[in-house]
Every structure is written in structure tokens, then in C-alpha cells.
Amino acid sequence: MTSFELTRGDTPLLISIPHAGVRLTPEVEAGLTDQAHALTDTDWYMPELYDFTERLGCSRLRGLYSRYVIDLNRPADDTPLYAGATTGLFPEIDFDGRPLFRPGLEPAPQARTQALAEIWQPYHQALAAELQRLKARFGYALLFDAHSIRSQVPRLFEGPLPDINLGTFEGASCAPALSERLQALCAAQSTYSWVLNGRFKGGYMTRHYGNPADNVHAVQLELSQHTYMAEPEAGVDYPGDAIFPWREERAARVRPLLEALMSDMQGWVPQGR
């Protein structure tokens, strides 16, 4: 089972895209409700939006399976990352709180154990190994964890999200100097709203792998989907074959900021290196 795609680069930066996958295991596909087959909580079009990363020469890791099978950005023991409403390692509800599976057709414990062993673990093994390779080569490693989400998800937060949601686990996952550089880039533009460590402070990957004391610096970006696509609407039951269109004119506007953030992160060198 191939659960991820990894392209090794020649810079200290690794971009992780864990939630753009749409593959389903047979057990999950057979049990999903009609509306859940639309996979509305996918981080849609992330590889396309970040296509400039190939030109930057950074490493790229992409998950291929849907978060409805297993959420790669949750800990293996399913410890909650946020207080209040959330979704877990093996989601049974979507972001709006609707059941993902028809009654009695939730994946069996054996299927979930298999997903943990064959999807979650290989992704994290690849991520850890690539960070170790980069650290061995450059003396430090940088992780940029790329996500997107609908601009409004009433069950998870009140009102619209900022466009750019940076997370550094309240400053624990990267050096302050790196965080300050990224904030300065956001503050220098007026097109997109932004916040640091707001509703999204960084998921499992940012918290687990970001360790400045060990020369690994991690930042998460949760991007509002309306900045580049026609995003799903909250609470709408979409058919399983629904398509949420890409909007190139929007993507073309937001890409320069995304590239600037990643280029600046990639060009940053920790003090003493």
C-alpha cells in the first residue's frame, strides 16, 4: 500500500501536505454516508496551490489517503489537541458534526489498526527520516505543515477565520526569530487577514516535530479556502460526486504571499549556524 509521496529536495525545508489525499480504504468507502463521499473536509488542491515548491527545491511530502480514513495530523493515541469541538484520529463526524458513516458500518477495530500501521506510521516514518536527513546535511531542519479549511465552520469556531492562520504551538515549535520574520511578511501586505496562534496553534506534526532545542523548527499554515477555490458551504449536504471548483484568479493572488513565506523560511538560518 502506497500511502504517501515524497520528493527529496536540496534545501533545509520540508513541506508536509497531510490532508489533500482522497483515497479510501474499502471498509471506509463501503460505510460512508452519501454526503460524506463528497469528502468536504479535504484540504483541496494543496499540491496545485503549492506547485512553486518544486522550483524552490524543498522536500515535499504528501499524504494520499483521506482524513476520513485516518487523520495524519493527530497523535497515534488520539489525545485531543484542542479543547472543545474537534475531530479525532479516526473521524466519525465531519467538521459540521454530521455522521460520516451509516449506522453499524463504522470501520472495525481491525481495519483501524491496519490504517494506523499502513497509512499513519509510514507517513510519520518518512517525515521523521526526511527531517533527520536534512538536519544531518544542514545542521538544522525546517518543517512547513500546509493545510486549508473552509473560512466558516460554525461548529469549530465563531465567525469567519482569518485568511492566513499561522501556528507555532504558542512559540514552542520554532525559534522566535523565524516566527517574527513570517509575521513581518504578513504584516507588510493588506490583502489578506492573518493571525498567529489563533484558533489553530499547530497540530500534531507541528507540536511533535518542532523542537528548536534539537534544531528542528516547525510552522503550520491553515489557509482559508476562499482565497483560492469555491469552498464548500457549512452544513450543506453535497452529493458524493460534488466538485468544489478551483479559482485560478484567486490562487494567482494568494500564491505570491505563500511563496514569500516559504522562501523566507527556507532562507532563514538559525543563530549560530
Side-chain angles (χ1 to χ4, degrees), residues 18-24 28 32 36 39-44 63-74 81-82 86-95 100-101 115 119 146-150 156 200 203 220 222 225:
H19 288 156
V22 294
R23 291 184 185 175
L24 299 171
V28 169
L32 288 178
L39 307 180
T40 55
D41 296 334
T42 301
D43 290 9
W44 294 106
L64 300 179
Y65 277 83
S66 170
R67 70 190 304 159
Y68 290 173
V69 176
I70 190 168
D71 193 327
L72 296 171
N73 204 27
R74 298 292 185 272
L81 298 176
Y82 293 99
T86 186
T87 55
L89 179 67
F90 299 104
E92 294 191 352
I93 56 174
D94 66 12
F95 286 171
L100 292 178
F101 298 96
I119 300 174
H147 298 262
S148 73
I149 192 169
R150 297 182 339 236
L156 300 184
F200 297 99
Q220 175 180 293
E222 192 81 50
Q225 288 179 341

Side-chain angles (χ1 to χ4, degrees), residues 211-235:
N211 185 358
D214 193 37
N215 297 311
V216 179
H217 302 263
V219 175
Q220 175 180 293
L221 172 57
E222 192 81 50
L223 179 69
S224 182
Q225 288 179 341
H226 79 88
T227 62
Y228 69 92
M229 62 176 285
E231 63 183 8
E233 296 182 21

Side-chain angles (χ1 to χ4, degrees), residues 137-198:
R137 178 174 176 183
F138 297 100
Y140 63 99
L142 308 171
L143 173 63
F144 186 95
D145 201 35
H147 298 262
S148 73
I149 192 169
R150 297 182 339 236
S151 60
Q152 298 196 53
V153 187
R155 177 177 169 270
L156 300 184
F157 43 80
E158 294 183 11
L161 274 172
D163 301 318
I164 305 291
N165 300 270
L166 294 170
T168 64
F169 195 28
E170 300 289 10
S173 68
C174 75
L178 175 56
S179 175
E180 290 166 4
R181 286 170 67 107
L182 301 181
Q183 290 180 75
L185 280 172
C186 292
Q189 56 80 48
S190 58
T191 303
Y192 299 102
S193 58
W194 66 279
V195 68
L196 174 70
N197 293 317

